[in-house]
Amino acid sequence: MAEKILAIQGNSFKNLNIITDTTYLLALEAQRRNYKIYWYETKDINFINSKLIAEVCHIKFLENNKTYFKIISKKNFELKKSKVIFIRQNPPFNMDYVTSTLFLDTIKNSVKIVNDPTSIRNISEKLFSINFKKLMPPTIFTKNLDEIKKFIKINKKIVLKPIHGYAGKDIIYINGISNIKRIRKYLKKIGHVMAQKYLPGIKYGDKRVFIINGKVKGAISRVPSSNSILSNLSQGGKAVKTTLSHKEINVSNQVAKVLKKNGIFFAGIDLVSGYLIGDINVTSPTGLPQFKELTGINLAKNYWDELEKLK
């Protein structure tokens, strides 16, 4: 019987926070299913003699152990020989990321790659929400100061987000037209932004919804710390158990259907007050350990059940 290899393209495995890291949870479940874990970073990929080769570390992840990994060996490995490849490095979505997807495109017809490299390259995590304007609060995408002034005049309080931002970085709240100097400086630094009507419901948290193979599988609520509009767990937000309303399930199902059609197997989307707020996380979705901690349900099992059904 052929070896089952899971190759993971990620950041260094030596820096994982195993309490909160979704990749670690997915890898543990893979090991339970007798996959060997080969880990590499984007710097380790080479295309030589018509083969996509990575310098990999064969590692074994350990549970309930202070040292959470053991390096078995290091070697050059032809990625086409993997059974599954995970693209799990953290944003930013930059040219290094784009290059890695172009490399992986050369073998994607021979190996299951999650998420599909063409799809994550084509689906900008903020801009893709253009497809769901009816499900969102008033939103524009621009780097034109005059357009933002008009938008503030209509909506009063707004939030500005970098189109290619991540983890809640460089998101700012604008209350009224008196902040023009600040906005001008921000646009000069960031370029094109998503400008969105501020939803006061954010103080009660957003909902991170998990979508696996086109199905809505659950959600956690992320509540900002006091005096903050940022619910991201990396920005001090707190994960809280939650359920989805009928409206939220309907919104999530509409997005899930389009994501599956576009080749996305695993995604996390964010809702506030029943609205999609434009964050459609497809590069390296997170939150499964927090969901497991709050509900006792390990969605990594469901993830692998769904993945192993795919041809």
Side-chain angles (χ1 to χ4, degrees):
M1 184 175 166
E3 284 186 320
K4 294 200 293 185
I5 305 294
L6 167 62
I8 300 177
Q9 177 176 299
N11 302 92
S12 174
F13 59 82
K14 296 177 181 178
N15 299 324
L16 298 180
N17 181 338
I18 61 170
I19 296 170
T20 60
D21 194 275
T22 294
T23 308
Y24 174 73
L25 196 67
L26 294 171
L28 285 177
E29 183 59 28
Q31 286 181 170
R32 291 186 195 107
R33 298 177 188 228
N34 298 315
Y35 284 82
K36 288 183 176 178
I37 309 297
Y38 286 5
W39 192 288
Y40 70 95
E41 298 178 45
T42 55
K43 66 179 175 60
D44 301 320
I45 312 174
N46 307 285
F47 192 81
I48 297 169
N49 297 328
S50 300
K51 293 179 179 179
L52 189 60
I53 308 291
E55 298 171 43
V56 302
C57 276
H58 175 196
I59 59 174
K60 182 175 177 63
F61 282 118
L62 309 171
E63 283 188 272
N64 306 315
N65 197 308
K66 191 174 180 182
T67 304
Y68 61 85
F69 66 87
K70 179 182 178 184
I71 297 175
I72 309 296
S73 63
K74 296 181 181 182
K75 58 184 166 183
N76 286 330
F77 174 70
E78 186 182 357
L79 287 172
K80 190 177 179 180
K81 294 180 179 176
S82 310
K83 189 169 180 66
V84 182
I85 297 173
F86 285 173
I87 304 175
R88 290 292 306 174
Q89 82 258 36
N90 296 329
F93 187 91
N94 55 19
M95 284 311 298
D96 180 66
Y97 199 109
V98 169
T99 301
S100 75
T101 65
L102 292 167
F103 273 133
L104 290 170
D105 272 348
T106 66
I107 60 168
K108 75 172 204 173
N109 293 329
S110 305
V111 186
K112 287 180 192 173
I113 305 178
V114 183
N115 281 317
D116 179 279
T118 311
S119 299
I120 58 174
R121 188 172 64 248
N122 290 347
I123 294 178
S124 163
E125 296 198 329
K126 299 278 194 306
L127 274 172
F128 194 69
S129 63
I130 286 170
N131 295 286
F132 306 106
K133 286 296 296 296
K134 291 180 181 177
L135 307 178
M136 296 169 64
T139 303
I140 63 171
F141 297 88
T142 185
K143 62 177 180 181
N144 185 297
L145 183 60
D146 290 333
E147 292 298 334
I148 291 176
K149 283 183 189 174
K150 288 183 211 169
F151 192 69
I152 294 171
K153 199 168 182 181
I154 295 166
N155 296 289
K156 313 304 184 215
K157 298 177 182 179
I158 70 166
V159 176
L160 297 177
K161 308 177 187 181
I163 287 177
H164 299 298
Y166 65 101
K169 295 179 180 180
D170 293 316
I171 294 175
I172 62 171
Y173 166 71
I174 301 293
N175 183 2
I177 208 75
S178 62
N179 292 276
I180 294 306
K181 188 182 281 188
R182 184 185 182 202
I183 297 170
R184 184 181 285 114
K185 188 176 178 183
Y186 181 80
L187 292 174
K188 191 173 180 180
K189 175 189 172 186
I190 301 294
H192 276 94
V193 299
M194 168 192 269
Q196 191 167 81
K197 181 179 180 179
Y198 170 72
L199 298 175
I202 187 60
K203 66 184 177 184
Y204 304 112
D206 70 1
K207 292 187 181 181
R208 160 57 59 92
V209 182
F210 305 110
I211 295 170
I212 299 172
N213 198 21
K215 304 178 185 83
V216 176
K217 293 295 183 178
I220 57 173
S221 183
R222 304 178 302 178
V223 181
S225 57
S226 57
N227 302 317
S228 175
I229 63 163
L230 302 178
S231 57
N232 308 70
L233 300 179
S234 60
Q235 299 288 342
K238 181 184 176 185
V240 178
K241 191 174 180 180
T242 193
T243 55
L244 295 172
S245 68
H246 179 74
K247 179 185 178 183
E248 289 166 339
I249 291 169
N250 182 42
V251 168
S252 300
N253 280 330
Q254 289 185 62
V255 179
K257 184 178 178 182
V258 175
L259 288 174
K260 183 171 183 180
K261 188 177 175 183
N262 281 272
I264 296 297
F265 177 81
F266 180 36
I269 66 171
D270 298 338
L271 310 179
V272 173
S273 302
Y275 292 99
L276 178 71
I277 57 167
D279 291 276
I280 301 175
N281 298 102
V282 299
T283 53
S284 184
T286 60
L288 295 192
Q290 292 84 354
F291 183 79
K292 181 185 176 188
E293 177 71 22
L294 292 167
T295 66
I297 299 168
N298 185 0
L299 284 179
K301 292 180 180 177
N302 186 270
Y303 178 107
W304 274 101
D305 288 344
E306 293 284 344
L307 184 57
E308 291 185 326
K309 283 185 214 167
L310 297 180
K311 291 181 180 178

